[in-house]
Structures are given as structure tokens and as C-alpha cells.
């Protein structure tokens, strides 16, 4: 049990750091136990994702990037469902109340609240003797019945993915002193770019409307492209063929693959990409790619949905199937 | 970093233990990253509360009671806001995947899902090297604009509280070998009753409609009656006078106070009660008390809201003010 203290300590922590983020009238300035999400007949999309110190982020990661990652992994889910952010609640499990950690954490979270127009609605702040944890439940709005699920992929649909795949996994490799770190020892800019992809995802909320307009199924790539596509196909009762040479890689990632420092399978299973993976009828794939151009986000066709119950097949440039020893990251 | 494993391990954990709890169509059988809360024009009330091993529950507490406590502390907030449960999302931070822990946890949670008609909508399951943690965000529905807040208490309102106060704090005292444990050494039934109040709150959702109909302000008592009333008064810009002799105590608690084993101040600041504290215009207090009788829940008038900015005053049977050295439990 922790030591009981002044009744105002927890409340003053909330008031000092988080009240400025609670700009929505439904948050009641964080003085209530509960918030109001008004809906006006839209569907409310709900998603929840937690990040744990030592598991989803490193104890040495800066607090501002931890805040951004905690919110953005949820915003990425909202984007992939074709929804517009409506707000979030925050549960913080802290070892202590340290201004040096909380101030940059709250400031960065506040910046993202503005960037993504996603206000803080409420939360809970608890003490823990163990690793810190940030758990966020985020909300989005879609017109009734229009959330993009995982079950609508149909044979013939094109498989599209935003951004580039594998950089975040390489960023973690750099931080933990792996092969990529060794290969890039003389290229600090490349290392920094990869680390930034690991620490601060770039959720594709700018494409949510286009995803809703065109995608038959969608999800965000959080646990690894190979495993996540496998889940989408299973939910839709279909299979897929992926042209691995088409999977978009950053120049740094492509260079590491070309030099055989990293094998492409590692990137396909890496996780932490937070890109949108979706399936689109062939006649509409150009429209989604064009929407990406307007938004400044690459949208790339990487394969096709096919009939069947088998796991998706990943084919190299010679049409040979890659053997993936693992598909994604799993906690258990 | 945890070891990456089969992509299906985390999903199969969710499917095995938690899919049966996801009875709402908006949960999509837990195969999507997101759920749908449809609203039909009601306001959605959102609340979030986490319980941490070693802080909110003891490592030795049985998993079924941990599950119930994690959900019920949130249901208690929903009840106090005058709302009807609509569902919840669950984030579980686990040290490992242990069937002996997860099976009773999930079974008890499933029973409460039925008892309170509050389906599981989604969640996140993460590994942690530290203490286990259960974080729940729960949803309720109220007619638009009808959530009962904290700001509406007015001078003259009666202060009402449900159930009894202090039993949960005594239950924790029993479990940790404190004064109550020593005094009740020969009364195992009394000890068991107190422990049960600590481990398994009894949220007053059956009174939500009556609270909505009659209360000007309400909250649940989670951190201690004295501190929580202080918060309610501060939010409403009023003060209060509480007749401590009127505060409802169980027979066991009253006996311990009568024998000077425990002082009443400890009970007023104890926390974990999960009763509804509300303020009601004098003409309506009988109606709320009567609604409690119908529902089988004691509703007791304990004082009056008065004008002023001072902290609430707690008066003993002789009209003398008690000095409360602490008002409630605070994490920081």
C-alpha cells in the first residue's frame, strides 16, 4: 500500500498538468469522475491501447515521445477505422510524481491534442511500484454504420499500405544495439530517423475519410505487416498474395536489406509501424492513392486478396514464396 | 523487451477467456481493433479507473474478486452519474499467461457482465515485468444533458449516502493485520464480511434512475467520505455540515468504534466504499430514501449543504467539530 497523503496532491497533479488538455466541454475541466461524449447520432468508435515501460517503450525514452506514442497508437486505430478523433481518457500508472517527467509528458500530449484535435476527456492517475504504464482509450466518430471493419475484404481487392514498413523495428534495433546499429554506426542521421519512427508514430488520420470512402476492410499495422494482414484475412475469410518487392521501404531500410544486414522478413514482422493496411476494390485503388498524394502520404499497392483460407503468401521478385518464421510481435 | 512468440498466442488468450463476455454486436467478437458504441442520441458517460496489484488490491487477493473490483469501481461511477451501463473496455497488464489466474478472473468478470448488463466491448492485453494492473474504461447512457455532475449542490440540499461507510477500510485493516484484525480475532464471520466489502464493492446501479431523478449533485465515495464530500462541495462552490452520528455504519464497524478500537475519523477517510454520495433538495430526499427501500439499499441523510467556501464540517453528537487529520486516500 502506498502512503496516504494530502487529499489535494492527486487532484493538484491533474489540475496542473492535464486540465489544460481537457478543452472539450464534456470533460468538465476534469473535476468530475466522468465525462460526456455527445454523439448526435454518429457511431462512437472505441479503441484502447496501453504502453508499458520496458515493453512498448524503453525506460530511457524521453517522456515527450512516450506521451506521443501512447496517444498516437490509439489515433492510428481511429484512422484505420475511417473515424475522426473525438477525445480520449488517460490512465497513468506512475512510480512517483516527478515534475521533470510529467511536465514534458503533459506538454507533448497537449501539442498532440491540438495537432489531432483530440481532447482529453478524463482519466485516472495511480501509483505503482513497478514499471510505468500509460493506458489510453480513444474515441472517434463515424456516420452510423460506416466504421471500416476487418471483415469486408473480398477476392480481387487490392491490398494497400501507407508510408513505409519496418523503420520502427529498425529504430528499436538501433536503440538496443543490434545489427542495424552496427551497420549505421557512421550515419547518425539515418539512425535518428529510424529511432524517431520507433518513438513517435505518424498516424494517418489525414486519410481517414479516404479509407472510409474506399476501403472494404482496414486496420493499422501495429504488430507487424505479415501478422496483421493474416488477421485481416482470417476475419474476412479470405487469403492474399503479397509482392514483397512492392512493400514500401525507406531508403535506409532498403539499403540495409540490399546489403543483407537485415532480411526483409524481419521488417515484415517487425511491428510498431502504425501505418494503415487496407483492402480496396481495384476500381478504387487509384482514388485512395491519389488521396494519399494530396495528403502527402505515400499509399502503395502491395498485393491482392484471393479466395481461400490459407495464410497470405509473400512472394519475392522471382515469384518464390518467403518462409516467415514469425509473423508479428505477440505479448504471450 | 519480451520474447516474440506465435502471433496467435495473444489472440487465442483473448478468444479463450474474453470473447464470451463480448456479447454486444458492437464488440465484433473482439476480432477488430475497435468497437462501436451506438448512441441513438443519448449522452455517453465515460469513466476510467485502474486497479494495481499492491496498491488497490493485494497480491494475495483471489483473481475472481480482482475482476469484480476492477469492473465494479467503474460501475459505481456510472451509477453515481445517474447512467445505465452500456459496456466497457479492458486493459490487462499481466506478468504471464496463467490459466489458473485468468480462468477465474474471466469467469467472474463474465458473471458481473450479466449481473450489471455491461458487456465487454474490447481491450488490450499486454505483458509487464512489474505488478499486474487492470484498467477499465466503462460507458453509460443518460438522456441528453441529464448526467448528474458534481457542481449542482445548493445550500439547503440534504446530503445522502447509500449503504454503510468504512467497512472496506476495515476489511483492508483485517487483511493487513491491523487493529481491527486483532479486535475481531474470535469473530471470523465479521472479518469475512469486512474483507468482502474491501474486495468486492457493491455498486448502486439499481439506484441510478432515482439519483438522476432527484440529485442535484452526486459522486461515488471511493477515496473516503470526508475527502469526496470536500471535492463535491468545492466543485459546487458550497460547504456542508455533517452529523457524524448519522453516518451509516455496519454493526461491526459501530462496535469497533464503540469499543474505541477504531476512531470514526478513520472510517470517514477510509476509502473503497463505492457508495453513492449525493445532494438532494429537502422536498425530494424522502423520495430517494423510498427508492432505496424498494431496491433494498439503505439511503441515509447525513447532513446539509450550506453556503460558504470552507471545508465541510463534521460534528459529533454534542455538536463539536471533529478534526480530521486526513480526509481521504491520495496516490501522490
Amino acid at each position: 500500500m502506498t502512503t496516504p497523503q494530502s487529499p489535494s496532491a492527486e487532484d493538484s497533479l491533474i489540475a496542473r498538468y492535464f486540465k489544460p488538455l481537457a478543452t472539450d466541454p464534456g470533460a468538465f475541466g476534469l473535476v468530475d469522475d466522468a465525462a460526456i461524449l455527445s454523439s448526435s447520432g454518429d457511431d462512437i468508435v472505441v479503441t484502447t491501447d496501453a504502453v508499458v515501460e520496458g515493453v512498448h517503450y524503453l525506460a530511457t525514452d524521453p517522456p515527450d515521445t512516450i506521451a506521443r506514442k501512447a496517444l498516437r497508437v490509439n489515433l492510428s486505430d481511429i484512422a484505420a477505422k475511417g473515424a475522426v478523433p473525438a477525445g480520449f481518457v488517460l490512465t497513468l500508472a506512475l512510480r512517483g510524481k516527478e515534475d521533470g517527467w510529467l511536465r514534458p509528458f503533459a506538454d507533448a500530449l497537449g501539442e498532440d491534442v491540438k495537432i489531432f484535435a483530440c481532447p482529453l476527456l478524463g482519466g485516472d492517475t495511480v501509483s505503482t511500484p513497478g514499471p510505468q504504464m500509460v493506458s489510453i482509450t480513444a474515441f472517434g466518430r463515424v456516420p452510423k454504420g460506416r466504421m471500416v471493419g476487418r471483415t469486408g475484404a473480398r477476392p480481387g481487392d487490392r491490398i494497400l499500405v501507407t508510408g513505409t514498413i519496418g523503420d520502427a523495428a529498425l529504430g528499436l534495433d538501433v536503440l538496443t544495439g543490434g545489427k542495424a546499429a552496427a551497420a549505421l554506426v557512421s550515419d547518425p542521421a539515418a539512425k535518428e530517423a529510424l529511432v524517431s519512427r520507433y518513438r513517435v508514430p505518424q498516424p494517418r488520420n489525414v486519410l481517414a475519410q479516404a479509407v472510409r470512402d474506399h476501403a472494404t476492410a482496414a486496420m493499422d499495422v501495429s504488430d507487424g505487416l505479415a501478422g496483421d494482414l493474416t488477421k485481416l484475412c482470417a476475419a474476412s475469410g479470405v487469403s492474399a498474395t503479397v509482392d514483397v518487392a512492392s512493400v514500401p521501404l525507406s531508403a535506409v531500410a532498403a539499403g540495409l536489406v540490399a546489403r543483407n544486414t537485415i532480411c526483409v522478413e524481419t521488417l515484415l514482422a517487425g511491428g510498431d509501424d502504425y501505418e494503415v493496411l487496407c483492402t480496396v476494390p481495384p476500381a478504387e485503388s487509384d482514388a485512395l492513392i491519389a488521396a494519399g498524394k494530396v495528403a502527402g502520404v505515400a499509399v502503395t499497392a502491395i498485393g491482392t486478396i484471393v479466395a481461400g483460407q490459407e495464410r497470405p503468401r509473400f512472394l519475392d521478385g522471382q515469384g518464390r514464396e518467403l518462409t516467415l518464421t514469425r509473423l508479428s510481435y505477440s505479448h504471450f
Side-chain angles (χ1 to χ4, degrees), chain A residues 250-310:
Chain A
S250 67
V252 175
L256 291 169
V257 171
R259 283 181 277 159
N260 285 321
T261 306
I262 297 287
C263 64
V264 71
E265 289 87 340
T266 301
L267 304 182
L268 296 177
D272 268 331
D273 294 300
Y274 300 104
E275 298 291 351
V276 175
L277 171 70
C278 63
T279 59
V280 177
E284 298 189 45
S285 68
D286 284 349
L288 186 51
I289 292 167
K293 282 216 175 78
V294 171
V297 178
V299 178
T300 308
I302 61 169
T304 306
I305 296 294
V306 299
Q309 304 294 323
E310 310 80 34

Side-chain angles (χ1 to χ4, degrees), chain A residues 174-194:
Chain A
V174 166
L175 286 169
T176 54
K179 289 180 194 170
L184 296 171
V185 69
S186 60
D187 191 346
K191 286 195 291 186
E192 185 49 44
L194 297 175

